Amino acid sequence: MYPDIFVIETLNTHYVLGVDKNGRLNHIHWGKKADPEDYEVRDNWEQNSNHSGLDYTDMEYTAFGGTMYRNCAFKCEYYDKCRDSVFTYLKSEQSDGRLAVTLCDKSYGVELELTYLYSDESDIITRFVTVKNNSNKTLKIEKFMSAELTLPGTRPYAVKNPNGAWGSEFLTKTTILENGTIAFESRKGTAGHTNSPYAVMSAPNADEDHGAVYFAALGYGGSFKVEIQRDFAGVTRAVLGISDFDFSYTLKGGESLTSPKVYMGFTDGFAQMSNMMNEFAYKNILPKSFAQKPLPVLYNSWEATEFNVNARQQLELAKIAKEIGCELFVMDDGWFGRRYNDWGGLGDWSVNSEKFPNGIDELIDGVNELGMDFGLWFEPEMVQEDSDLYKAHPDWTYHYDNREAMKLRHQLVLNLTKKEVCEYVFDCMDKMLEKHNIRYIKWDMNRPFSEIGTENLENGKELWLRHTMAVYEIADRLKEKYPYLQLEACSSGGGRAEYGAMEHFDMVWTSDNTDPVDRLDIQHGYSLIYPIKCMRAWVTDANNTRRPVSLDFRFGVSMQGSLSIGSNLLNYSKEDIEKSGRYIELYKSFRSVIQFGDFYRLKNYAEDGFYSTQYVSKDKKKSVLFINSNANSFFNARFKSIRLKGLSPDEKYRLTDGDTAVIKSGAYFMNKEYALCLDRPLMSKIIILEKV
Ligand code: GLA
């Protein structure tokens, strides 16, 4: 009576679902392809007083109810206080790379529509769920994950996720999950700096090139949760989505709610995962206007001038920025309201007339005349007591009357669940964009939520989702009205470096830690699943007194992402300026290889004592290789070697390493170790290969 099998076919994989005799949607297969005719729904094969058949059923999307004790994907309370769900098959549609299966809890008229988008160009499947309340009664959703994944077999999987902090984002750890549940989450309102909203689960011996890797990344950067559980039978499952901590959502009769998206895939090795997501991101996830365009080399003023900005000094910086080859000049914090330090000003997004007595166009026009675009920093979700906005609207923040507000960085979070607050935030940026030639906004968010009172909401627990969606909506509105506008998402460094932000912003700020040595580990972790082109990477003067690092090394690190400059160029010597110019020129000649090519992590500090990454153009004609030694490299550890990847084995390439050049086949470079002598601490090398 049920259409039993649905096969989703991607480039190399099958993802298979089936409806069992009870009408439940089962997960059947995810991995390499088999004959579709062979897939079948199995009967639940064990039942005793402690384990029902359900315990052994691989549900495609587990709703809490009956004996479903595993980490569920969905939980709700119906109008009559019933919290037991029974969703069975209702209908399905499959065509043109889209499968939608609708399940229904027939006693309550509530539907779950599970949507899958796929193609034969990659192995990434995009998933989301819509819950529809077709009754005329109220439904309270208590857990609403975007997807559940069931991994094959009963062996333990190795699970990766960062355990980071502000200034040390993306420091990735691996745990073998033998039993119980591991959860990666944020309860802060943004994705934050600690865990990242993704699940990467691999065969324990998987490496860059081989081994089963199952992964899913969540397109949501509010408070999120990823739960991965290995059950009593050895089966590993993951659910990921909006955090259910302090969350619920009320759906009145006739209303519906769609979950954030999940991008999931199965690959052989981690390099394939990174490359598939990298390409999928610029083809399918990032906002269309700049997704397939190379990002400009920008200058950002923050580390050079902090809050102390004025037109003359910014123009002096801009002149040198132009001279070395920057294409865009971003003035960071300090230009607005009473913003003399981080104690005041947030909320008042009009130009500080003491710092800019002739208005901001003096600077913008100057930058434009130099031939660069101009960008500006905002922190739209915030307000400070020392601001006109707070004086006018003290009730526009999240707050409880009986609790003293925690003012991290002396600031409070605006209640974006209020329409009028969203309008104010949009208008502030809109006014600046209307009046001035601003083509880039760095949207910052520098503190997590606290005292999360929302007197305006009937169900206060909706705030986490509503706030995040409001941010995305404002970003989308700005982009729609100003199609030339580039948006950078930042949250005290990498707190918003995730796919939720990347669906609406063109790039992200990776970390406030711009020390180039630390940065290598941060970039390494970031690159696992996030697109290279979105990774803004500044060359700065950071830590130069505590750990002197050459300008060559700094460029050698920042060129591995979207190269940007954040140094105080006013202190640069003539030699530094010339050198920077040469590096930026080199970067531009390889920019599309770096931002859109295939990417390989060849070596890293922890395992190899040095870093090496390689980028190869999609047509395999050009490749660039970055090598960074560690602080110890000296006599003992100087002899190193690398094998290249991703070249055409039969084509000849000219490899240029400083003053020497050799011509050999791709196979030679990929199969024979290339010897390196890294005999100086923190040395940087850039090796280039071009097809001859
Ligand atoms: C945050 C950002 C920085 C900079 C400052 C400005 O820390 O991450 O890049 O913009 O705010 O206050």
Side-chain angles (χ1 to χ4, degrees), residues 24-25 27 54 57-62 68 70 148 150:
R24 306 219 188 219
L25 187 65
H27 172 81
L54 277 183
T57 304
D58 292 332
M59 301 288 280
E60 176 60 9
Y61 188 77
T62 303
M68 265 293 139
R70 70 179 60 135
E148 175 168 355
T150 302

Side-chain angles (χ1 to χ4, degrees), residues 166 300 302 307 332-333 339 342 377 379 409 442 444 446 490-494 509 511-512 538:
W166 173 78
N300 179 293
W302 172 243
F307 303 99
D332 207 277
D333 203 343
R339 189 69 167 169
D342 63 9
W377 180 94
E379 197 176 348
R409 215 188 185 203
K442 176 176 168 190
D444 209 340
N446 278 315
C490 169
S491 178
S492 289
W509 180 223
S511 175
D512 278 345
W538 303 347

Side-chain angles (χ1 to χ4, degrees), residues 24 54 59-79 82-88 103-106 108-114 127-135 137-149 225 227 229 237-244 247-252 255-260 465:
R24 306 219 188 219
L54 277 183
M59 301 288 280
E60 176 60 9
Y61 188 77
T62 303
F64 174 72
T67 56
M68 265 293 139
Y69 307 115
R70 70 179 60 135
N71 288 327
C72 61
F74 185 83
K75 182 172 183 295
C76 70
E77 183 175 304
Y78 297 109
Y79 69 93
C82 170
R83 299 191 303 283
D84 185 278
S85 288
V86 179
F87 281 97
T88 53
L103 311 174
C104 184
D105 191 330
K106 295 186 177 108
Y108 292 94
V110 172
E111 288 176 13
L112 293 172
E113 184 184 65
L114 277 47
R127 276 175 77 169
F128 53 90
V129 183
T130 300
V131 48
K132 294 182 191 165
N133 181 3
N134 290 336
S135 71
K137 303 269 173 34
T138 296
L139 173 76
K140 192 163 189 188
I141 301 168
E142 295 177 347
K143 188 171 187 184
F144 183 38
M145 302 309 249
S146 295
E148 175 168 355
L149 319 173
K225 196 179 219 177
E227 289 172 315
Q229 180 177 40
R237 297 184 181 85
V239 290
L240 57 170
I242 302 161
S243 173
D244 60 339
F247 169 78
S248 74
Y249 202 95
T250 309
L251 277 193
K252 301 218 170 79
E255 290 181 344
S256 65
L257 179 69
T258 296
S259 76
L465 176 62

Side-chain angles (χ1 to χ4, degrees), residues 299-318:
Y299 180 83
N300 179 293
S301 68
W302 172 243
E303 291 198 20
T305 51
E306 294 203 347
F307 303 99
N308 183 20
V309 293
N310 62 60
R312 188 187 43 77
Q313 146 243 53
Q314 293 295 301
L315 268 173
E316 275 173 37
L317 284 169

